[in-house]
Amino acid sequence: MRILVVDDEALLVKGIRFNLQNEGYDVVTGSDGLEAVQAVQEQQPDLVVLDVMMPNMDGLTACAKIREFSDIPIIMLTAKTDDMDKLMGFDHGADDYLTKPFNILELKARIRALLRRAGTTEKQAPSSTLTIGTITLDLDARNAYRNGVLADLTAKEFDVIEFLMRNPNRVYSREALLDTIWAYEYRSDIRTVDVHIRRLREKLEENPAEPKYILTKWGVGYYFRK
């Protein structure tokens, strides 16, 4: 399944591409509205992530031009928070709207929802649940369960556990987790990661003092054992 990501912020595009490729998507990119229109015509993606403010042709104009020949799902990205700007996006044909700075896992959840709405089959789309051992994530509702019992996670705690479970047995440093999960928000204190890991163990492990899944590789970072 192919997703087109168009934004003139190269680092943002790189981060989105990395995360979507980890989900199994084929990702193509562009840096302005003209490239967006051309890529939809030539690459035939299944969904477009499109920034509003770009050179050569802005995202709103590109969205309207794409709508002249395609009903592909489009998610608009913008740094503007005004409701009128969002309404303009919908008026130009956008299906969804995300305000910067945004959370990458929320973007992925919205992508899954739009692909299902567009008629994507379960075989084509990533699963809406993720289970390893006694821990299950409902990716659409963003709920976590331990042995079938709902765990009361905060939004960021869910982001952390989802990322680790999607990449089991891979060790991530605190800095890497900050860059990935807090990437589009103001930089957090590195100790924030430790606090979130501790709380996740308290909520999802049978014995937080001797965790079975959410583990530490001393001197390196954290990982989820599969």
Side-chain angles (χ1 to χ4, degrees), residues 134-200:
T134 60
I135 300 174
T136 296
L137 303 183
D138 181 333
L139 301 175
D140 294 333
R142 289 176 59 79
N143 286 327
Y145 299 85
R146 186 187 72 181
N147 290 321
V149 178
L150 180 65
D152 185 20
L153 302 190
T154 66
K156 193 60 65 181
E157 288 167 358
F158 186 92
D159 293 343
V160 174
I161 195 63
E162 179 185 353
F163 179 76
L164 292 176
M165 288 181 66
R166 285 186 178 277
N167 301 277
N169 301 324
R170 181 173 177 178
V171 181
Y172 290 92
S173 68
R174 294 170 177 82
E175 292 84 0
L177 290 171
L178 278 175
D179 288 342
T180 301
I181 298 171
W182 283 264
Y184 311 119
E185 302 175 27
Y186 295 108
R187 184 79 180 198
S188 301
D189 188 291
I190 196 168
R191 290 170 295 182
T192 298
V193 176
D194 299 329
V195 172
H196 281 73
I197 292 295
R198 175 175 56 80
R199 290 176 177 169
L200 284 169

Side-chain angles (χ1 to χ4, degrees), residues 2-6 13 17 21 26-30 39 43 45:
R2 180 170 295 166
I3 295 179
L4 170 65
V5 180
V6 185
V13 171
R17 180 176 58 197
Q21 286 176 336
D26 176 22
V27 181
V28 293
T29 64
Q43 300 289 338

Side-chain angles (χ1 to χ4, degrees), residues 4-17:
L4 170 65
V5 180
V6 185
D7 196 303
D8 61 334
E9 296 182 47
L11 288 177
L12 178 63
V13 171
K14 181 179 179 180
I16 295 175
R17 180 176 58 197

Side-chain angles (χ1 to χ4, degrees), residues 25-44:
Y25 295 111
D26 176 22
V27 181
V28 293
T29 64
S31 59
D32 62 48
L34 290 174
E35 292 182 3
V37 176
Q38 182 177 6
V40 172
Q41 293 172 324
E42 297 178 356
Q43 300 289 338
Q44 297 184 340

Side-chain angles (χ1 to χ4, degrees), residues 43-74:
Q43 300 289 338
Q44 297 184 340
D46 298 284
L47 181 143
V48 180
V49 178
L50 183 64
D51 186 37
V52 172
M53 301 298 294
M54 294 186 293
N56 298 324
M57 179 187 291
D58 64 81
L60 293 175
T61 302
C63 183
K65 288 188 174 294
I66 291 170
R67 282 289 172 256
E68 293 176 1
F69 62 87
S70 175
D71 60 356
I72 183 175
I74 298 176

Side-chain angles (χ1 to χ4, degrees), residues 3 23 25 47 75 104-118 120 125-129 138-142 158 162 166:
I3 295 179
E23 298 287 317
Y25 295 111
L47 181 143
I75 300 176
I104 189 65
L105 297 178
E106 181 180 359
L107 174 61
K108 290 191 288 188
R110 295 191 183 210
I111 287 173
R112 289 192 298 269
L114 278 180
L115 289 174
R116 281 194 301 276
R117 193 183 308 166
T120 305
S127 173
S128 60
T129 62
D138 181 333
L139 301 175
D140 294 333
R142 289 176 59 79
F158 186 92
E162 179 185 353
R166 285 186 178 277

